[in-house]
Amino acid sequence: MTKKNTNNDDLLALIIKGIEDVKGNDINILDLREIENTVCDYFVICNGNSNTQVNAIIGSIQKVVSKELKEKPWHVEGEQNGEWVLMDYVSIVVHVFQKHIREYYNIESLWGDAKITTIDTNY
């Protein structure tokens, strides 16, 4: 059990690094572990300013995680239009939005019981 948490912590840190490396915005981590019947332990949600930046964020996350942990996402969806891309690392699901799409779906509000941690970016 402890090993899984360490892996989650390492994976979370690397996902955040990948987002920050290409200046992803408004990074939130939703801790879903205390909520029953969730599909994963964490959601990481962020946004980019264009489909190009959204795809750059996805590429950066994949590169950083692959280099450090030798892991690839189990599934990636939405890369073609670059408006909302979902990356599934099984225990952590990453949502990368364009800002207007994120505001429209407002998925943070759907998981109102989750503990939300906002990552302060200094750029």
Side-chain angles (χ1 to χ4, degrees), residues 65-118:
V65 171
S66 176
K67 180 180 177 186
E68 296 295 325
L69 295 180
K70 310 291 188 258
E71 285 192 35
K72 293 181 180 177
W74 179 70
H75 183 72
V76 178
E77 192 169 314
E79 287 177 296
Q80 292 76 19
N81 63 13
E83 291 183 345
W84 176 1
V85 180
L86 180 141
M87 302 175 74
D88 187 349
Y89 281 97
V90 182
S91 63
I92 300 172
V93 175
V94 183
H95 299 269
V96 183
F97 291 94
Q98 285 189 38
K99 186 173 178 135
H100 68 282
I101 301 294
R102 181 177 182 174
E103 290 169 353
Y104 179 80
Y105 285 103
N106 192 16
I107 65 173
E108 285 98 335
S109 71
L110 298 175
W111 297 94
D113 293 345
K115 179 184 172 208
I116 299 177
T117 303
T118 300

